[in-house]
Amino acid sequence: MDTFSTMIIDAVDKIKNAVVKIDVYKTVNGKMRPAGSGSGFIFSSDGFIFTNSHVVDGAEKIMVSLLNENEIEATLVGKDPDTDVAILKIYAHGYSVAKLGDTSQLQIGQFVIAIGNPYGYQHTVTTGVVSALGRTLQTQSGRMVDNVIQSDAALNPGNSGGPMINTDGEVIGVNTAVIQGAQGLSFSVDINTAKEIAVQIIRDGKVFKAYLGLQLQDVPINEKVRQHHKLSNRAGIFITRIEPDTPASRSQLMEGDIIVSFNNKPVSNSNELFKVLTHKDILTITNISVVRHTELLNFIIVPTEKKN
């Protein structure tokens, strides 16, 4: 067998027993009936599972099927529609745990593998490469999901909530959505962001996030500009859109600016910015630095609490 195929098989083998099928049920005309399905993966030895918020939205009963075909009822610990992440918990044995990776070193062009249950076909595997990082995605419900990884690995209905993994079998994203009508584009919530969300949901049952009103994408900083301004970070966060009537729209920020510092600390990617925005003490006048063309500009912005 060729080396490339062996690499994929080995990576899938490391995680396949942690990937689950999720079936949700709702009451219709007085009877509990199937109301959709999706995917998920177990990420802790005590039975916590990542999936998508939209997969379990409104569910009255959630059943989780393991690869060995054991079906177990799950408890919804909490969900965050703004990142499309939900945490479930099962009380069972006989499963393995997915290893969570670190996306801080993830590169555009890096090979990725998606695993899920599209159309009910369990453990379907597709492959592709990372196309873009740190994207802001607008979901079909109109919500903006930050820090999304774009790839060309094929995703279909039922893949939602399954893992995107690297060739070491480590999870680098939670598969979340495809854009209607788009060809060959798929999206996953960055696992570093998902980890932050999981900590808050498991600890508090909900998520706190400050809001700026920006659509973003991670980009490299021009080396001459970086050296001229003695910037420590080689990458920044490109503002692709400023939402109306938001803290960003009331600041001096402009679309096309590249954020390089927030709250007096360098930020190189959307996940670093997201971490800062999960602390309640950020709800005050905050410094933000951007590169605009070749200039380094310093402004202030006042984040507000994002309401679900």
Side-chain angles (χ1 to χ4, degrees), residues 215-255:
Q215 292 188 33
L216 305 168
Q217 182 181 340
D218 297 351
V219 295
I221 298 171
N222 180 282
E223 187 60 25
K224 288 183 179 178
V225 172
R226 191 182 78 84
Q227 290 182 6
H228 177 74
H229 294 295
K230 298 180 172 60
L231 298 173
S232 61
N233 33 334
R234 295 182 179 277
I237 314 165
F238 183 80
I239 299 174
T240 59
R241 185 166 187 266
I242 295 175
E243 300 291 321
D245 193 28
T246 62
S249 70
R250 292 185 283 272
S251 74
Q252 293 175 276
L253 294 173
M254 293 178 63
E255 293 175 2

Side-chain angles (χ1 to χ4, degrees), residues 152-171:
D152 64 351
L155 298 180
N156 291 289
N159 268 115
S160 292
M164 182 74 73
I165 65 173
N166 60 21
T167 51
D168 293 323
E170 299 170 337
V171 180

Side-chain angles (χ1 to χ4, degrees), residues 111-308:
F111 198 78
V112 288
I113 305 161
I115 308 175
N117 305 290
Y119 301 107
Y121 297 111
Q122 275 195 268
H123 284 71
T124 297
V125 175
T126 56
T127 62
V129 296
V130 174
S131 309
L133 296 167
R135 281 258 159 102
T136 301
L137 169 69
Q138 186 163 21
T139 65
Q140 293 171 5
S141 65
R143 289 183 180 272
M144 306 306 301
V145 181
D146 293 326
N147 206 16
V148 170
I149 300 165
Q150 180 185 322
S151 79
D152 64 351
L155 298 180
N156 291 289
N159 268 115
S160 292
M164 182 74 73
I165 65 173
N166 60 21
T167 51
D168 293 323
E170 299 170 337
V171 180
I172 53 97
V174 183
N175 297 328
T176 184
V178 290
I179 292 183
Q180 292 286 31
Q183 297 295 315
L185 297 180
S186 57
F187 299 92
S188 309
V189 178
D190 184 298
I191 198 63
N192 286 2
T193 295
K195 289 176 192 174
E196 297 283 330
I197 293 296
V199 168
Q200 290 198 47
I201 288 177
I202 293 168
R203 184 188 63 209
D204 305 325
K206 60 181 182 178
V207 176
F208 169 83
K209 285 190 305 297
Y211 179 63
L212 301 178
L214 296 170
Q215 292 188 33
L216 305 168
Q217 182 181 340
D218 297 351
V219 295
I221 298 171
N222 180 282
E223 187 60 25
K224 288 183 179 178
V225 172
R226 191 182 78 84
Q227 290 182 6
H228 177 74
H229 294 295
K230 298 180 172 60
L231 298 173
S232 61
N233 33 334
R234 295 182 179 277
I237 314 165
F238 183 80
I239 299 174
T240 59
R241 185 166 187 266
I242 295 175
E243 300 291 321
D245 193 28
T246 62
S249 70
R250 292 185 283 272
S251 74
Q252 293 175 276
L253 294 173
M254 293 178 63
E255 293 175 2
D257 288 347
I258 299 174
I259 301 169
V260 293
S261 174
F262 189 79
N263 196 29
N264 302 315
K265 293 180 182 177
V267 287
S268 299
N269 55 60
S270 298
N271 190 61
E272 291 177 1
L273 178 61
F274 179 84
K275 281 185 179 180
V276 182
L277 293 172
T278 60
H279 298 284
K280 292 187 178 180
D281 58 7
I282 203 64
L283 299 176
T284 185
I285 296 172
T286 304
N287 293 316
I288 186 168
S289 300
V290 302
V291 170
R292 181 177 295 168
H293 306 301
T294 58
E295 289 185 278
L296 181 64
L297 304 174
N298 301 298
F299 302 127
I300 60 169
I301 192 169
V302 185
T304 57
E305 184 173 355
K306 188 162 190 179
K307 304 293 184 183
N308 285 330

Side-chain angles (χ1 to χ4, degrees), residues 65-140:
S65 300
L66 306 177
L67 186 59
N68 63 13
E69 298 185 348
N70 282 353
E71 193 174 29
I72 305 141
E73 186 164 0
T75 303
L76 176 63
V77 179
K79 58 190 176 77
D80 178 41
D82 288 322
T83 48
D84 201 19
V85 168
I87 305 295
L88 309 178
K89 184 173 173 63
I90 57 171
Y91 298 89
H93 303 285
Y95 55 79
S96 61
V97 175
K99 183 177 180 182
L100 304 184
D102 176 11
T103 49
S104 61
Q105 303 301 314
L106 195 63
Q107 300 286 316
I108 292 173
Q110 190 169 330
F111 198 78
V112 288
I113 305 161
I115 308 175
N117 305 290
Y119 301 107
Y121 297 111
Q122 275 195 268
H123 284 71
T124 297
V125 175
T126 56
T127 62
V129 296
V130 174
S131 309
L133 296 167
R135 281 258 159 102
T136 301
L137 169 69
Q138 186 163 21
T139 65
Q140 293 171 5

